[in-house]
Amino acid sequence: MTTTPSVAVVGGGWSGCTAARLLLDRGYRVHLYERDQQLGGHSRSEVLGGVVFEPNGPHIFHTSNRAVADFVGQYAIGRPFEHRVLTEIFLEDEEEPRYLAWPPQVDQLRELPLWPRIEKELENLPATPSTANFQEYSESVMGPTLYGLFVREYTVKQWGREPHELSADFAPKRLDLRTDGNTRLFRDRWEFFPERGFQEVIEQIARPVPVTVGATLGLSDLEQLAREHQAVVVTAALDDFAGRPDALEWRGIRTVSRYVPVDDPAATLTPGYQVNRPSLRRPYTRTIETKHATGQRIGATVVSEEYPGAPHRHYPVPTVDSRNERLNDSLKREIRDAAPLPVFFCGRLANYLYINQDEAIAQAMACAEEVDAFLASAGGGTEGTS
């Protein structure tokens, strides 16, 4: 009789909870370790005065991956939703802002006094977008005027650096110019937003998994983990995990959330769930009013303003020279070489990637497969064990 192998999972966001649940469902013993006092990671939702809101910004579940859609569909996530983003722009000689769709819609742009200039720039766009850097990509997709109105100052605020210093790698998923009248941000086949936000969904996924919260684990803890587990999945930021907190560049946000009573239970205060505020007239990058997405009927709302530059590991910084990505790969090798048990990595933080929720889940699925295959080949699979 052999002992069922045990796997430690470090980090209780989408990737960690998904990997832990899938490994548990495959018959492994699993223990999930989370630094915070609650699960959910960057995607968690909270409640203020009865109003559901998102302390880390908007999180809309969208995917064209059927396996991912089927997985989350088991956990009451399937309330249909169509995410439409607005951008607040200020034109010269106009004090009041205008609110236009994001990505920009050519039909709306025709109504602007700047349209003749914009039209000329669009006629001269290159056949293939430039991939030299984020600024050149943006200008080659929409021209310098639209780039200035919608993108440049937002990018400077969000990343704390000039756009030409950033890689164009993530731009195709974030930038677009549309002529089809489709104002939905995402074009994926499935798009959901739960009535109570994602906290309950993530907690439901992890519910049968033993969890320790308030657990700050790092490289020095792997020796202890090896006494209890046969493998470990790390979804935490690797510079922090390796005890080198300043090794990688991260961009964090500070969210200021206001609870505001309203007379009408359906009432909201801002024009939309997510309103981008690129102008430097605003110190924040966007406002989030989750009540637009939940459809909650309650005599209050919560409006959150996002201020970039906080000392948190929210977003990896995609520089042109990819130095952070190379360093992250080096940290993976360093951790694996020092670990007394097999280490696997998945998720946004551990892989230093700017990805969406469905991609984090897909990575967790692949990681669970990899762990299962490894333990099976090592003679530690669950078949025939007790």
Side-chain angles (χ1 to χ4, degrees):
M1 182 173 66
T2 59
T3 302
T4 303
S6 180
V7 181
V9 178
V10 180
W14 268 116
S15 353
C17 290
T18 299
R21 179 59 183 265
L22 291 173
L23 288 166
L24 186 78
D25 289 348
R26 287 171 180 262
Y28 293 101
R29 292 182 296 126
V30 180
H31 198 102
L32 180 62
Y33 299 88
E34 166 56 38
R35 166 180 288 187
D36 292 337
Q37 293 300 318
Q38 59 182 321
L39 301 177
H42 197 237
S43 297
R44 78 175 188 269
S45 55
E46 296 182 359
V47 178
L48 181 60
V51 181
V52 177
F53 77 107
E54 296 160 285
N56 297 315
H59 290 86
I60 303 90
F61 193 90
H62 58 99
T63 190
S64 292
N65 184 325
R66 177 176 287 278
V68 170
D70 289 346
F71 173 75
V72 298
Q74 302 173 65
Y75 303 103
I77 198 176
R79 175 174 168 269
F81 179 72
E82 293 184 350
H83 185 38
R84 290 177 168 83
V85 177
L86 295 174
T87 295
E88 175 194 66
I89 65 168
F90 290 90
L91 300 182
E92 295 176 5
D93 303 322
E94 291 187 0
E95 287 298 321
E96 293 300 315
R98 298 182 184 228
Y99 295 95
L100 303 180
W102 174 263
Q105 295 280 343
V106 169
D107 283 347
Q108 291 182 357
L109 299 175
R110 294 183 200 276
E111 305 300 319
L112 298 179
L114 294 174
W115 172 247
R117 185 205 306 174
I118 295 169
E119 183 179 32
K120 185 174 293 186
E121 292 173 357
L122 297 182
E123 290 172 351
N124 293 315
L125 293 179
T128 303
S130 169
T131 57
N133 56 60
F134 186 76
Q135 177 176 338
E136 291 193 26
Y137 180 91
S138 303
E139 291 184 334
S140 66
V141 166
M142 59 181 58
T145 298
L146 294 179
Y147 164 73
L149 282 174
F150 286 88
V151 179
R152 186 189 182 281
E153 292 178 0
Y154 187 101
T155 303
V156 170
K157 288 194 290 186
Q158 173 67 20
W159 298 102
R161 61 204 313 153
E162 289 298 319
H164 68 263
E165 300 176 51
L166 298 172
S167 169
D169 288 350
F170 71 99
K173 291 198 301 182
R174 308 292 167 181
L175 292 178
D176 196 4
L177 178 66
R178 296 189 181 171
T179 60
D180 59 2
N182 181 0
T183 57
R184 291 178 59 192
L185 179 61
F186 306 118
R187 298 180 183 270
D188 287 304
R189 181 174 177 183
W190 294 281
E191 188 173 0
F192 308 126
F193 198 100
E195 291 181 9
R196 301 290 298 173
F198 288 99
Q199 189 63 32
E200 292 180 359
V201 176
I202 296 172
E203 289 178 354
Q204 185 181 355
I205 289 171
R207 186 159 295 140
V209 180
V211 176
T212 298
V213 297
T216 302
L217 300 183
L219 187 58
S220 61
D221 297 294
L222 292 181
E223 192 74 42
Q224 176 62 38
L225 289 178
R227 297 190 182 102
E228 305 172 30
H229 307 284
Q230 284 66 58
V232 60
V233 174
V234 176
T235 71
L238 300 192
D239 56 341
D240 191 38
F241 188 83
R244 296 168 59 187
D246 298 322
L248 294 171
E249 293 180 272
W250 296 93
R251 192 69 172 166
I253 61 169
R254 175 177 62 92
T255 301
V256 177
S257 298
R258 292 184 295 118
Y259 173 90
V260 184
V262 294
D263 293 331
D264 180 354
T268 52
L269 296 183
T270 61
Y273 167 41
Q274 175 183 334
V275 182
N276 293 340
R277 316 279 182 164
S279 172
L280 294 180
R281 300 188 194 190
R282 310 290 192 198
Y284 44 88
T285 53
R286 58 188 179 183
T287 54
I288 308 302
E289 190 174 4
T290 306
K291 190 176 180 181
H292 285 278
T294 61
Q296 197 175 7
R297 295 187 63 84
I298 186 171
T301 188
V302 173
V303 177
S304 301
E305 299 169 350
E306 286 191 16
Y307 295 82
H312 305 306
R313 291 174 172 83
H314 289 151
Y315 299 102
V317 180
T319 56
V320 172
D321 60 8
S322 301
R323 60 182 178 273
N324 292 302
E325 290 82 355
R326 293 196 304 273
L327 178 54
N328 200 67
D329 288 340
S330 176
L331 287 170
K332 286 183 179 180
R333 293 191 294 270
E334 178 183 322
I335 292 167
R336 280 180 169 142
D337 289 346
L341 78 171
V343 183
F344 302 84
F345 304 98
C346 72
R348 177 179 56 89
L349 294 176
N351 285 325
Y352 200 78
L353 290 171
Y354 188 14
I355 57 176
N356 297 320
Q357 295 175 102
D358 64 322
E359 295 168 300
I361 291 171
Q363 284 194 13
M365 290 176 163
C367 184
E369 291 278 355
E370 187 181 5
V371 173
D372 185 32
F374 174 84
L375 292 175
S377 67
T382 58
E383 185 176 348
T385 64
S386 61

